[in-house]
Every structure is written in C-alpha cells, then in structure tokens.
Amino acid sequence: MKLHPAWLASALLVLSVAAVPALGGQSATRDGQPADALASNLALPFASDLTGARRAPVFAWIEDVAGARNVWVGGPDIPAHPRTAYSGDEGIELSEPQLSQNGRRLLFVRGGDAEFPEGGAPNTGIALETPEQALFVADVAGSQAPVKIGPGHGAAFSPDGARVAYTRKGEIWLWGDAAAARRLATVAGSVEDLQWSPDGRQLLFTEQRKGHSFVSLLDVEQRSLRYIGPTLGQSSDPTFSPDARQVAFLQFRGPPADLPDSSASFWSVRIADLASGAVRTIWSAPGGEGGQFAGTRGRNLFWTASGHLLFPWERTGWMHIYAMPAATGGTPRDLTPDANEVETFTPTPDGKGIVYAANAGNLDTRQLWRTAIEGGKPAQLTQDDAFVFRPVFGGDRLAATATDAQRPAHMVLVDGMKPLGAVAIAPSYSKPETIVFTATDGMQVHGQLFRGKGPGPHPALIFVHGGPRRQMLPAFNPMHYYSNAYVRNQQFAALGYTVLSVNYRGGTNYGRAFREAPETGRGGASEYRDVLAGGQWLAKQPDVDAKRIGIWGGSWGGYLTALALARDSDLFAAGADFHGVHTLVRPGDASLSPDAEVKARELQWQSSPMGSIDRWKSPVLIVHGDDDKNVDHDQSLLLARELTARGVPFEELSLPNERHEFFRYGDWLASYLATEAFFARTLKAGK
C-alpha cells in the first residue's frame, strides 16, 4: 500500500500552518486555538553543540526551532541571543561552533553534513542548487552579518584569535583578517581534530586513512609536515604538552574477527618529543578487562597544566577516568571509582581536577561531578530533578546541556542551574516510569514506560533506539534524533498507546559486559531477546490489549523492528521501520578461513530480517531518505521488493534527498504523522 494522496495533502497543511511554540510553557496557537500537539512539541527549540571560550566566560551553541537553525551566544554577563538570522525549514545544517580564546570571535559551519563533512553535500531542501558547506566568522559582540571564509570545516582559531586554520578535501587552509585564505598543505587522508600549538606556530591533527590513522604536525612558518610515531593501527586524540615541546596520543587496534573477545593488550598511551622525534610508550593497557580500547562520547586524552595525562579505561568493566603523571608514567589512578559509567569529561581550567557526566548511583540518570586529580571524594554538582550532559568551561565558569521530562535540551550555567536563555516546555508531559525486566537468558533490561492515557485496555508499542550504542532516558534526549522520538512516544501515550522504550543489550551506560554482550547483531542478534522480552512483558500487563502490540524504531531500531515482524508476527501486530538494516550479510574478513567465512555469512543471514522473511505476516510502514549515508536506501528497496513478492501489506514513505537523521523538520513531522496514521489503522482498529 502507498500513502494516500489525501493524507499527504493533510500532512502538508499541518506543516504550513503549525506555529512555532512560545517559550516558558505557553502552548503554540493557530488562529487563536491550540496547535497540533505533535507539530508544536516537535518545533520546541532544541539546543546542541555547546562550546566555551578558553579564557572568558562566553559560550556559543546551536539552536534548532522547527528546522530553522541559528548560532546563539551568551554567558553570565551576556544575555543569550542569536548571532545569526537564518529562517525557514531549509534543511541546511549548522555545526562546529567555535570561540576564540578571548571569547570575542565566533566560527561556525553552514551546509554539508557534520557527520560526513568530506562527503557530498546534501540538498535535503531540494533547492535548485545544492547548498555548499562553508565556514563563517563573526564578532561575538557585533551585529554585522557573519563573514564567509570559504568552503571548509574543522576550523580552529589561533591562540591570539587572528588566524583560522581549517580543512577541506584533504587540504589544510589558513585564513586571516589581513589576507585571503591560502592552502598550507595537501595530505593523502582526511584531516580531523585540527588544533594549534600553544605558541601558535604549529598545527597538530589526525590524518585518517584507509583502515589506519596517523598523528601529523604541520609547521605553519616553515611549511613543513611530518608524521609522529606512525603505527599499524589507529592513532587518535593527539594533545600538546603545556610547553608545546611534546605530543601525547592514543594508539590502538581492534581484535580480529575470529578472536573478538581476545584478552590481549590492544592499546597504549604514547609521547613524542618534538625536538628529537623520539616516541615512547608511557603506558600500555594490561591484557584482560579493558585491554580493548573504548572511548567516551567526547575527547579521550588531555594533558593538563598540572602535568597529568587523563584518559578513559574500562579496567573495572565500567568507563572510568584515570590520571597518570606525564613525566614518569606508572600505574594510572582511577579518579571516578564510584561513577558507574562516565559519558564525557573535561579538565578544570587550573588543571587540578576534572568535571564529568556520569550515572553514579542510578544507571538511568545523568549528573555532573567534580573531583581533584590528586585525590578526594567526588562532589556532585547537579541534582536529580534534571538530566545534565557534556560539561564545558568558558573561562572559569562551567556550563552544560540540561533536559528533563518536560524541557528539551537547553544550556545552563551549572552553578545554580541558571539557564543561559529562555527554556521551552511541554507542560502536558509526565515523566516516564523506569522499569527493569528480564530476558529469557537472564539479562536484566532497563526501559521507560509511557502509560497510555484514558481507559484501557490500551494498544501498545515497543520503541527500539538505534546505534546500537545508545541509552534512552526518562526525559528529553540531548541528541536531536531521540529528542524527536521522545516527543513521538509522549504523543503516542496521549493518544492512548502504552509505549515501552527498551534499552537492549549492546547499548551504553550499563557497563562493558552489557555493551559488548556476546552474539549481538550479525553474530546472532542476541539483543532481540530483550526486545521480545519487552513485548512479552507488555502483553502481560492488565491494561494492555495483547493482540494490539506494535513496534517502531529507526536505524538499528529499524533493524530490530523488521526482525520482530519477521520472527514474531503473532506478537507484534504492526511495525514502523525507519531506515532499518534488513540484511546483515557483509564481505568476509581477511582473518577468517574460507570455511569460517561461509559459517559467518550464514550466521549473518540468520541474524537478519531477510533470514526469517517467509514468516513475516504483520503490516509495516517503511520510511527512508534516499540520500542516507548511514544505512543505504537499498536496504529498504530490498525489503519492499521481498514483501511485495510475499503479499505482506506495507506502506512506504521515501524522502527524496533526505539523510539518515532527517535535516528538515517537515520530514520529521510527515514521517511521524504517517506513523500515527498507520498505527491508528493497524492497531487502534485491530489487526
């Protein structure tokens, strides 16, 4: 089945008339009446990409309001305000805001795809000419329009703020106020993590090549390029010593396909002396737990002013932060022994401590903590009535991203949790319940339950996130994709559906054993046991109609949605599959023997929805952007063809030019309205 033209017309009508909601808890209105709740709450301002000036209490971030993106600036002495004036749902992304060290100048990128900055530029707004990816600079305190530097991304201000280094297509460029931009170098790979030396004479970066990466150093004045300690693996997170005479970096490699659980040592911390070129391994991870490298969601290596190297390590089975003297090395000391899982961290400006976001004491929360490098008990900086992420210093002031059950991501000064600007609110939303249930193999699984409004028995839905390296929380998510999914689940509950969001194995923040659980994905789809257990848990609830349980999700969640429908149509009566993976069969690994490769490919097939497609009976809605760079659009073309051949009913919504995380608010809304209408037909009215 295709979407009916009359339905599409009504969706477009909603897009054209839905007003952007007011802030501070006021409902959006349309002709004096309340606007559609889904449209208005999806349009609530969403803040992201917080950055701070190194030597001044100034912050910048990006705010998205119904697809109109702008860069905002603010601080304790600067009222928050937009520094750009872009309007309309154009599908043009803003990314990479940066401030000069003195907080007086601002950089940002407009256009392109921040996740794939070196790929082809998207045209999700279907303009006659594809918008270019370009770098802009502006004075923070000024009112003049930002100045376009030129095509590029990955920019960094020089320490004095007078020059900007940036990259594009394997080239490094330099721009200054007094001269036009000029190319400094061309390299064989892609340039990442570009940064200036403290003296402003050199540029340090990671050069990503096929299957490996190098740490590279470019002397701006001498126009010379060299590679630091190249290895047969990945080199990452390079950082200068405070005196700029040395560079530290991480070196790691992954285990082979036939020994995925090897307990060997796969990573180390190395230091290069820039004068002599000598490189020494100051520490290697011992074999066993933590012998394979895993990082946080931010930067993973710092060299502090106090002379310590800071990095994450899973020696305890949990992501903790360790400190080690850079001069002497030795055994790293755990700074966060009670943290459960550290998600991001940053050193304090004086180099004597760290601030980190973690779920200490409650696996389904996120708070900020501060601890001294020399030792002592960590101090909790934020309270349990909010979820706080990604600490950032601006000078000596600390800011972060905050959410709760009613307020989407916004920026706050951590001291007193004072918002940097106005905060949007969805006043009708209530906090989902956190529940724990057990899969058939004994795995403990966490989830959030959105109880359906009104009398039961209720139709019900399982929601499965993507990634799979994710964790959903009982609040708005700091990622835009899942902030939108949270709105959709709240609105499903308002319509009478009971929704269970499942944090299945393979996800983060429940420890390494949970994240690296055996036989997940193409190795056996063991995470589906958690999804199935969630559906069975719903079916046993007295206020849920066990014959009207559906499932929906995107990306890896789309894969699990399709797998649920293929394997268990008797339980899952309908599903909405957003850009899912439908066959996991991939080319073999060179470390596998021919016989082992045949067995691996057979297991990949059986772990795929395609492996059980002949058992698929329930209707499905398939949604996919045809310029998706994460999950190829061909995956949905394959599924549509196979379902057609077997007479399985499906509806389809193909979004021309759209990416994996939809760039246009209109495409989010159209997709979510299509999902709502689909479940109304297949679940509310009965299968």
Side-chain angles (χ1 to χ4, degrees):
M1 291 183 289
K2 294 186 177 181
L3 296 177
H4 195 277
W7 181 90
L8 286 176
S10 66
L12 294 173
L13 178 62
V14 171
L15 298 186
S16 67
V17 300
V20 174
L23 303 181
Q26 299 299 314
S27 298
T29 60
R30 180 170 68 236
D31 299 329
Q33 300 298 319
D36 176 82
L38 175 64
S40 59
N41 287 325
L42 277 178
L44 289 173
F46 174 87
S48 65
D49 298 86
L50 178 66
T51 189
R54 183 173 181 180
R55 302 198 306 266
V58 182
F59 299 92
W61 63 94
I62 293 168
E63 200 158 289
D64 184 329
V65 182
R69 300 167 172 89
N70 281 287
V71 182
W72 282 61
V73 294
D77 302 316
I78 303 174
H81 62 281
R83 188 56 188 85
T84 58
Y86 302 115
S87 62
D89 184 22
E90 300 176 306
I92 301 177
E93 193 173 50
L94 293 184
S95 61
E96 301 181 6
Q98 297 289 329
L99 289 163
S100 59
Q101 291 191 17
N102 60 16
R104 296 177 182 174
R105 307 187 82 182
L106 168 72
L107 281 168
F108 64 93
V109 174
R110 187 167 192 258
D113 185 336
E115 188 176 4
F116 302 98
E118 295 287 87
N123 184 15
T124 56
I126 316 182
L128 295 180
E129 298 290 338
T130 299
E132 70 171 347
Q133 175 199 69
L135 186 66
F136 291 82
V137 64
D139 291 333
V140 168
S143 59
Q144 293 182 334
V147 174
K148 179 180 173 182
I149 291 176
H153 65 95
F157 278 113
S158 60
D160 62 5
R163 294 171 296 168
V164 174
Y166 61 100
T167 183
R168 70 183 193 211
K169 304 294 185 183
E171 300 174 343
I172 298 175
W173 286 68
L174 183 67
W175 175 90
D177 291 321
R182 60 188 176 95
R183 183 173 55 230
L184 294 178
T186 301
V187 297
S190 60
V191 175
E192 300 176 0
D193 201 12
L194 186 64
Q195 54 193 289
W196 289 85
S197 61
D199 59 12
R201 295 180 178 179
Q202 301 180 94
L203 287 167
L204 182 66
F205 60 95
T206 301
E207 185 182 329
Q208 188 67 48
R209 298 193 178 188
K210 183 180 179 181
H212 65 286
S213 58
F214 298 138
V215 171
S216 309
L217 190 67
L218 172 63
D219 190 307
V220 176
E221 295 179 358
Q222 299 297 323
R223 298 291 298 274
S224 63
L225 178 68
R226 58 173 165 153
Y227 295 101
I228 299 175
T231 68
L232 298 175
Q234 298 286 346
S235 298
S236 74
D237 293 86
T239 181
F240 280 105
S241 61
D243 62 7
R245 296 178 179 178
Q246 300 177 87
V247 166
F249 60 95
L250 302 176
Q251 192 281 331
F252 61 93
R253 56 180 61 90
D258 58 339
L259 295 170
D261 299 319
S262 171
S263 60
S265 173
F266 285 91
W267 68 286
S268 60
V269 181
R270 304 189 179 190
I271 293 180
D273 180 81
L274 298 185
S276 66
V279 178
R280 60 191 173 102
T281 298
I282 191 170
W283 177 80
S284 292
E289 191 78 71
Q292 297 183 25
F293 179 72
T296 67
R297 292 198 181 277
R299 185 167 184 82
N300 290 304
L301 181 65
F302 293 91
W303 195 324
T304 70
S306 63
H308 289 87
L309 294 172
L310 307 176
F311 52 87
W313 186 21
E314 291 184 304
R315 187 60 170 176
T316 65
W318 297 84
M319 188 76 71
H320 289 180
I321 307 305
Y322 288 76
M324 180 176 61
T328 60
T331 301
R333 187 162 48 81
D334 190 349
L335 300 181
T336 60
D338 302 319
N340 288 333
E341 194 101 331
V342 174
E343 189 170 64
T344 58
F345 72 106
T346 186
T348 57
D350 62 8
K352 297 180 179 180
I354 65 169
V355 175
Y356 57 96
N359 55 358
N362 183 344
L363 295 176
D364 295 296
T365 189
R366 201 78 80 250
Q367 300 298 327
L368 298 190
W369 300 74
R370 182 171 183 153
T371 192
I373 292 175
E374 292 300 333
K377 184 177 177 60
Q380 186 171 346
L381 302 179
T382 55
Q383 301 306 313
D384 293 340
D385 56 349
F387 295 77
V388 192
F389 311 83
R390 303 168 186 164
V392 171
F393 279 99
D396 61 356
R397 298 300 297 272
L398 181 64
T401 304
T403 74
D404 63 26
Q406 294 185 326
R407 296 166 181 83
H410 56 281
M411 304 310 174
V412 298
L413 292 170
V414 173
D415 184 13
M417 292 298 288
K418 180 182 178 181
L420 280 170
V423 181
I425 187 170
S428 65
Y429 288 0
S430 57
K431 187 176 180 179
E433 302 170 35
T434 297
I435 66 164
V436 180
F437 56 94
T438 305
T440 55
D441 60 357
M443 179 68 78
Q444 294 287 297
V445 184
H446 293 233
Q448 303 84 48
L449 185 67
F450 302 75
R451 290 197 179 273
K453 302 298 190 294
H458 297 280
L461 296 168
I462 290 288
F463 170 71
V464 270
H465 63 73
R469 303 294 195 243
R470 301 280 184 267
Q471 182 196 31
M472 300 299 101
L473 296 166
F476 274 97
N477 198 279
M479 292 180 63
H480 191 239
Y481 189 109
Y482 296 108
S483 181
N484 286 347
Y486 178 82
V487 170
R488 179 63 277 180
N489 285 332
Q490 285 278 7
Q491 297 304 143
F492 273 137
L495 292 170
Y497 296 86
T498 290
V499 183
L500 175 59
S501 175
V502 177
N503 282 337
Y504 53 86
R505 72 191 75 182
T508 55
N509 297 89
Y510 299 108
R512 184 181 184 278
F514 187 85
R515 190 191 71 233
E516 303 296 336
E519 301 176 351
T520 57
R522 56 180 53 89
S526 64
E527 65 267 54
Y528 177 65
R529 300 169 196 167
D530 306 337
V531 177
L532 179 60
Q536 293 168 338
W537 183 91
L538 277 177
K540 294 176 182 177
Q541 301 311 300
D543 61 343
V544 167
D545 184 343
K547 294 183 178 180
R548 294 190 291 156
I549 296 175
I551 183 170
W552 82 282
S555 195
W556 206 253
Y559 155 68
L560 289 169
T561 294
L563 195 62
L565 299 173
R567 290 185 176 182
D568 291 290
S569 279
D570 289 342
L571 174 62
F572 296 105
D577 171 356
F578 281 60
H579 35 240
V581 182
H582 305 124
T583 175
L584 296 171
V585 178
R586 297 291 183 270
D589 190 287
S591 65
L592 295 177
S593 69
D595 288 345
E597 183 175 345
V598 170
K599 292 179 181 178
R601 289 170 67 86
E602 175 62 26
L603 182 57
Q604 291 169 8
W605 178 258
Q606 295 302 330
S607 302
S608 303
M610 284 297 299
S612 303
I613 192 108
D614 288 333
R615 293 155 51 191
W616 188 321
K617 305 300 179 186
S618 296
V620 63
L621 169 67
I622 307 169
V623 181
H624 212 139
D626 87 322
D627 196 24
D628 191 328
K629 302 303 181 186
N630 299 78
V631 176
D632 198 295
H633 189 248
D634 286 351
Q635 291 281 333
S636 289
L637 297 180
L638 169 69
L639 181 60
R641 182 188 71 189
E642 298 297 325
L643 294 179
T644 297
R646 290 163 174 81
V648 177
F650 69 92
E651 300 181 16
E652 58 197 278
L653 181 56
S654 182
L655 302 170
N657 292 16
E658 192 54 276
R659 290 284 168 110
H660 193 66
E661 178 171 352
F662 305 152
F663 280 20
R664 292 189 62 250
Y665 163 82
D667 289 332
W668 279 113
L669 183 55
S671 299
Y672 281 176
L673 286 172
T675 306
E676 181 178 312
F678 171 78
F679 282 135
R681 289 190 293 274
T682 56
L683 295 181
K684 276 206 163 183
K687 186 176 178 181

